């Protein structure tokens, strides 16, 4: 675990190498202006294979709102850090490589409507910190798409031996 604010104000820190066995990163763990992130993709900021945060919100320098309409979490991402998905995006695409989503990762995604995942089995196995870890937790009208098909009926693959917490919470089209 890398806990909340673990590297807060680490003013001389330039890089952090995170081993594959890390499965949890707390909110604002890398809350420092000097840490160089690997890259920014589609308005999302990454350190290695970890989505640290999105940058939607307000650009104080240019005095304009920043909005992400579609958030494509890049392939290979393993962890979505606690508090990372603070967005007003309306569509989130989550690859099968994600195996952990931190607490409150999507707490402020009030306008989130659609969640796209590659396959049901990987979606069901994602470990979540709490109810607000799931991108659908704030909108009772969310729709879940599996392999681009709206999920209305749940047929569990035979390989599924458990369902993680809140896997189907708030999806309106399930019957």
């Amino acid at each position: 675990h890398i806990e909340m604010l673990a590297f807060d104000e680490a003013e001389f820190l330039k890089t952090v190498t995170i081993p594959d066995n890390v499965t949890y990163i707390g909110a604002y763990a890398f809350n420092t202006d000097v840490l160089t992130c690997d890259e920014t993709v589609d308005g999302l900021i990454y350190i290695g294979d970890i989505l640290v945060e999105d940058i939607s919100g307000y650009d104080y320098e240019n005095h304009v709102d920043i909005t992400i309409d579609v958030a494509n979490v890049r392939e290979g991402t393993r962890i979505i850090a606690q508090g990372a998905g603070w967005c007003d995006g309306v569509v989130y695409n989550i690859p099968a490589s994600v195996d952990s989503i931190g607490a409150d990762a999507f707490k402020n995604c009030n306008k989130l409507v659609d969640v796209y995942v590659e396959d049901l089995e990987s979606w069901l196995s994602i470990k979540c910190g709490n109810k607000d870890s799931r991108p659908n937790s704030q909108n009772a009208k969310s729709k879940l798409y599996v392999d681009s098909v709206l999920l209305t009926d749940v047929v569990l693959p035979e390989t599924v031996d458990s369902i993680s917490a809140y896997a189907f919470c708030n999806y309106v089209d399930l019957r």
Side-chain angles (χ1 to χ4, degrees):
H1 278 73
I2 298 176
E3 294 296 337
M4 175 179 176
L5 299 167
F7 295 96
D8 187 37
E9 298 183 29
E11 61 186 86
F12 299 108
L13 181 67
K14 299 291 184 207
T15 61
V16 175
T17 301
I18 302 168
D20 286 342
N21 63 343
V22 171
T23 59
Y24 174 85
I25 296 181
Y28 314 111
F30 302 100
N31 195 21
T32 174
D33 293 334
V34 296
L35 183 63
T36 303
C37 293
D38 283 0
E39 62 184 303
T40 300
V41 179
D42 293 333
L44 304 175
I45 301 173
Y46 293 90
I47 295 179
D49 58 0
I50 297 161
L51 171 60
V52 180
E53 65 180 298
D54 76 49
I55 57 173
S56 63
Y58 191 75
D59 178 350
Y60 290 97
E61 184 175 317
N62 297 309
H63 305 287
V64 294
D65 286 321
I66 300 169
T67 303
I68 298 174
D69 293 328
V70 177
N72 295 305
V73 177
R74 74 175 179 194
E75 187 62 44
T77 299
R78 291 186 315 107
I79 300 170
I80 298 176
Q82 179 178 352
W86 291 61
C87 67
D88 276 333
V90 294
V91 175
Y92 244 90
N93 294 307
I94 300 175
S97 58
V98 172
D99 57 26
S100 176
I101 303 176
D104 300 330
F106 294 96
K107 185 172 185 172
N108 289 334
C109 291
N110 300 319
K111 295 180 183 176
L112 181 65
V113 175
D114 296 335
V115 177
Y116 285 81
V117 297
E118 293 174 21
D119 65 80
L120 187 58
E121 187 170 2
S122 62
W123 177 249
L124 297 176
S125 66
I126 294 174
K127 297 175 203 81
C128 293
N130 64 7
K131 180 179 177 183
D132 291 329
S133 297
R134 294 286 181 175
N136 56 314
S137 65
Q138 295 296 308
N139 188 345
K141 296 180 182 174
S142 296
K143 296 179 184 230
L144 178 63
Y145 293 83
V146 177
D147 196 23
S148 298
V149 176
L150 178 64
L151 187 66
T152 56
D153 299 306
V154 178
V155 178
L156 297 176
E158 289 190 27
T159 54
V160 170
D161 58 8
S162 66
I163 299 174
S164 61
Y166 311 110
F168 296 111
C169 179
N170 281 348
Y171 290 115
V172 296
D173 289 297
L174 293 178
R175 297 177 198 7

